[in-house]
Amino acid sequence: MAAAHRHALATVVAALAVHTLPAHAETDWSVHRGSALIAFDEQQLHMLELDVRSSSGRSASPQIHYNIGGDSTLLLTEDHGVISASTAGQILLTDGLHLTCATGHHATGRLAIVLQHAPGGVTWAVADNGGIVFALRDVKSGLDRPGKLFLLEAGGLIVSAKLADSLGDAKLAGESIGSLTLSATLTWEGGDEVPTAAELFDANQTAGLRTTCGGTGPDVIVGDLANVASYASVGGIAAFSLSTDSCNIGDTPLNWVSSTNQHPVIGQNMYRLKDGRFEQVGMSWLKHGFAALTENLCGCGCQAPGTSSLLGVGCSDTYSASLNGQQSRLGPRFEVNPHTGFFPYPFTGQNQTGDSIYKRLQVAIADLDPAIDGGGLYFIEGQYVTPDDALAGNQDNNASYRQVSITGGGTSWTASVTGMPPTQREAPAIRAWAATDAGVVGTDVRITGEGLVLLAAKATDLGGGLYQYEYAVQNLNSDRAVGGVRVPMDPTGNVSNIGFHDVSYHSGEPFDGTDWPGKFGGGDVKWGTDLYTGNPNANALRWGTLYNFRFQADRPPQQTLISLDLFKPGVPAYVLAETIGPATGLLDCNSNGVDDIADIAGGTSRDCNTNGAPDECDLESGAGHDLNSNGVLDECESLCATTVGDADGDCDVDLQDYAAMQ
């Protein structure tokens, strides 16, 4: 299906009937009390020299809250989820607006949300008793049937020609000055009786229509990155937002509840491949999900759940680039655990707006402009994090990437997917490096009992006995994060040009952005940030970010193990990743004359925590515990409680363990 067609579907209500239920003609709903929020774009208002306040004078931009009046008259008539032409009435807000610019002033009457019938469906607008004040663009709406809610989200609040004329400035017509979200209660007024969510799922099961695309449990992926929006730059920083189409390829509906922490958050990133280096150049805050549609982008056979609070089995959902750039629904990364999907709700910064780059995907113009330090190949990435997907163990396939083109100059830059290869589903952006360079070695590194970190490495012969070593490490979903990297190196060798690259947090994320210092000594080239115990907000390699480590050495490449030191305390303290690095001779941590990798592969040593080092080395280094002194790592045992009186049976030397051993 063409992207434009898919995105047009975002104006359609998302509550489709399940095919196994008897077909009904129409179901009628009346809309009652609730709330609405108009979030204005402060920079846009400033550029247009436009001041906006509520009619009561109690609130002004950047955001104005409204209640929905009990005298609202909107009657929604839906047929298999599509609002029909018989829909009538309006959602009445409890206040209006005062708008003032250099050429005039306009005071609206009481505002109302209205529908306008158009070929192929309906469109939404904001009106008063004098006519249309704003058209709504990039509208996504849904019926939450079990919760009996009507939800509406609009990424663009467009000044009407009538309002522009009243203000005396025709150039204002068509300008987008903000966004709108709305939640209102529903009452069933007639038509076929609406089944409960449980009844809908039972009907699905009985008819044998539970189609899957191979997943078990709820399993959300990014099915497409179909568009990129570009915004005005500020202070040498360009801003973008990505459209994301998600698909539930699992066999269980995925939670999508807007007013709790049981919905997805969406991260947006940009990367660049230039001169053999794959680096992250930008990141966004997280879009919080609002309502799920019932499309079928991934061809899994959408089984509509009858509510926009669930992404049905096989169903897909579209967020336009405008909606993913809606600042009022963007929250920070720091409060999200990517491994469990947990985050607090309401989220920090909810309903807050700012200038044109605030919270959005920010990229330094210097990294875009070939006249400064730009150029190369650029890639975008979308990633979903959500609790029930994580609980089912499906969080490792939630990121997808796509190549984009970058054009522009000066302070104006645009990213586009036009003419680019299709989205690479279930592939984090770091995979693009190996996909475009056969010399790159990739390694997946599992943190024991936790998240996934991805490593890519390349060695380049510079001639004259000198080699360039490049490492990119992407933390996909580890909450413990990475606080240090160590690459073994012959201590008699020579190392130069040790380098580091990270990506900048912004818009109030609390992390310290200090670069990791690199040094050579003690048989390692090493980088590290502050310890968690001294600085919990140190510049650790946290989820959704990629850091780079590089140096030159006079030793040729060989297979080696590099160490990723974990930032947050826990067991293990580090993990080993098999990759390429400078020749060091024998890697023999247990001093038995056999390479560690051969020890493990030959069965002479155990590696129960799969970190690439023999378990006896973990015990000697303090990276593991052996409370019962049997030479086996406690995390590999199941008898700790009876062997050492462990109070909670996990041999993790916590306070309960110590108390039990007294």
Side-chain angles (χ1 to χ4, degrees):
M1 182 183 294
H5 186 195
R6 284 203 316 275
H7 293 168
L9 291 177
T11 62
V12 176
V13 170
L16 300 183
V18 176
H19 296 166
T20 58
L21 295 173
H24 62 76
E26 292 178 336
T27 302
D28 296 333
W29 304 88
S30 57
V31 177
H32 296 285
R33 296 188 184 277
S35 62
L37 170 75
I38 297 179
F40 290 96
D41 184 328
E42 286 188 289
Q43 185 181 48
Q44 183 74 341
L45 293 184
H46 178 73
M47 289 176 57
L48 298 173
E49 298 181 322
L50 186 60
D51 179 76
V52 183
R53 300 178 181 275
S54 64
S55 294
S56 64
R58 288 192 295 269
S59 57
S61 58
Q63 51 192 17
I64 299 179
H65 295 264
Y66 294 94
N67 291 322
I68 293 172
D71 55 346
S72 293
T73 60
L74 182 64
L75 183 69
L76 291 175
T77 302
E78 55 99 6
D79 182 1
H80 290 83
V82 178
I83 297 177
S84 72
S86 60
T87 296
Q90 54 191 348
I91 300 176
L92 291 166
L93 307 184
T94 53
D95 205 349
L97 287 174
H98 281 175
L99 301 99
T100 305
C101 65
T103 55
H105 169 80
H106 179 80
T108 75
R110 184 180 177 187
L111 294 178
I113 311 298
V114 300
L115 291 100
Q116 298 176 297
H117 297 292
V122 296
T123 60
W124 298 87
V126 180
D128 67 357
N129 52 14
I132 301 299
V133 180
F134 303 108
L136 295 181
R137 187 175 64 195
D138 292 324
V139 175
K140 184 175 182 179
S141 58
L143 293 180
D144 176 354
R145 282 176 162 176
K148 291 192 168 50
L149 290 174
F150 172 66
L151 305 171
L152 185 143
E153 185 177 18
L157 192 72
I158 313 300
V159 176
S160 70
K162 185 178 182 66
L163 175 59
D165 183 64
S166 178
L167 289 169
D169 186 353
K171 295 190 299 296
L172 292 174
E175 293 284 352
S176 178
I177 62 172
S179 59
L180 180 144
T181 53
L182 177 148
S183 174
T185 58
L186 289 171
T187 300
W188 176 56
E189 297 290 355
D192 288 341
E193 184 175 357
V194 179
T196 66
E199 289 169 338
L200 289 170
F201 299 142
D202 286 344
N204 249 347
Q205 303 250 11
T206 341
L209 292 180
R210 283 188 56 174
T211 305
T212 72
C213 273
T216 300
D219 190 359
V220 66
I221 68 167
V222 178
D224 198 13
L225 300 164
N227 194 21
V228 185
S230 305
Y231 302 89
S233 64
V234 177
I237 303 294
F240 307 93
S241 61
L242 318 178
S243 70
T244 55
D245 287 272
S246 61
C247 300
N248 180 8
I249 65 170
D251 60 6
T252 306
L254 181 90
N255 289 333
W256 209 292
V257 187
S258 65
S259 56
T260 72
N261 63 356
Q262 297 300 306
H263 60 252
V265 294
I266 308 166
Q268 305 163 63
N269 299 314
M270 186 177 288
Y271 303 82
R272 179 183 61 174
L273 175 58
K274 180 184 179 184
D275 299 332
R277 294 175 174 176
F278 188 82
E279 300 174 329
Q280 185 173 3
V281 293
M283 68 164 69
S284 72
W285 277 33
L286 304 172
K287 164 70 177 181
H288 280 253
F290 188 72
L293 300 178
T294 48
E295 300 169 356
N296 190 27
L297 171 72
C298 290
C300 295
C302 176
Q303 301 173 43
T307 169
S308 64
S309 293
L310 292 168
L311 182 61
V313 172
C315 298
S316 65
D317 172 81
T318 299
Y319 274 114
S320 67
S322 176
L323 287 179
N324 277 340
Q326 186 179 357
Q327 294 168 328
S328 60
R329 294 288 297 178
L330 293 176
R333 298 186 181 214
F334 79 87
E335 56 191 3
V336 175
N337 183 317
H339 181 62
T340 65
F342 174 82
F343 55 88
Y345 193 89
F347 52 89
T348 298
Q350 188 167 346
N351 296 329
Q352 291 180 4
T353 59
D355 60 25
S356 61
I357 67 172
Y358 182 54
K359 299 185 185 179
R360 290 171 174 149
L361 171 52
Q362 295 189 9
V363 183
I365 289 177
D367 288 327
L368 301 173
D369 191 342
I372 307 176
D373 191 29
L377 302 180
Y378 291 85
F379 301 87
I380 54 174
E381 176 189 63
Q383 180 178 1
Y384 281 60
V385 174
T386 194
D388 51 344
D389 172 273
L391 184 62
N394 291 326
Q395 62 270 70
D396 291 346
N397 65 347
N398 292 10
S400 300
Y401 77 86
R402 187 174 189 181
Q403 187 176 345
V404 295
S405 62
I406 299 293
T407 56
T411 61
S412 179
W413 293 89
T414 300
S416 173
V417 300
T418 302
M420 293 292 106
T423 299
Q424 303 302 300
R425 293 178 180 170
E426 302 181 67
I430 195 172
R431 308 286 194 211
W433 192 13
T436 55
D437 188 337
V440 173
V441 175
T443 309
D444 290 2
V445 186
R446 172 67 61 191
I447 311 301
T448 305
E450 222 251 351
L452 182 64
V453 175
L454 307 171
L455 167 68
K458 182 180 180 181
T460 303
D461 188 345
L462 301 178
L466 192 62
Y467 299 85
Q468 176 76 33
Y469 291 93
E470 288 282 343
Y471 299 91
V473 185
Q474 181 175 2
N475 180 352
L476 185 67
N477 54 33
S478 170
D479 184 61
R480 289 192 62 193
V482 176
V485 172
R486 291 175 284 154
V487 180
M489 171 67 192
D490 186 341
T492 65
N494 295 298
V495 172
S496 60
N497 295 323
I498 299 175
F500 169 82
H501 180 275
D502 61 3
V503 61
S504 298
Y505 288 93
H506 58 80
S507 305
E509 291 271 18
F511 302 128
D512 179 354
T514 303
D515 284 357
W516 295 17
K519 63 181 180 179
F520 171 48
D524 289 308
V525 184
K526 62 191 74 174
W527 299 260
T529 188
D530 295 340
L531 295 177
Y532 178 87
T533 50
N535 182 7
N537 287 328
N539 189 22
L541 174 56
R542 291 178 168 82
W543 78 273
T545 57
L546 180 147
Y547 288 3
N548 301 86
F549 310 90
R550 57 182 61 105
F551 60 92
Q552 293 175 359
D554 59 356
R555 295 293 186 270
Q558 69 168 25
Q559 185 183 44
T560 190
L561 292 171
I562 74 169
S563 174
L564 304 179
D565 300 331
L566 301 181
F567 180 62
K568 292 187 178 180
V571 176
Y574 64 89
V575 291
L576 298 178
E578 186 175 347
T579 185
I580 54 172
T584 59
L586 190 67
L587 292 174
D588 184 19
C589 73
N590 53 9
S591 303
N592 66 350
V594 179
D595 191 279
D596 293 339
I597 295 174
D599 267 343
I600 296 168
T604 55
S605 291
R606 297 182 60 188
D607 182 20
C608 81
N609 56 3
T610 63
N611 69 350
D615 291 344
E616 59 266 29
C617 301
D618 290 330
L619 293 173
E620 291 173 6
S621 69
H625 299 290
D626 181 19
L627 295 181
N628 53 5
S629 303
N630 67 348
V632 180
L633 291 177
D634 292 332
E635 60 194 275
C636 307
E637 299 187 314
S638 60
L639 301 176
C640 294
T642 56
T643 306
V644 299
D646 180 35
D648 52 2
D650 56 9
C651 283
D652 59 358
V653 199
D654 59 17
L655 294 177
Q656 295 184 52
D657 296 329
Y658 283 124
M661 290 187 286
Q662 297 306 311

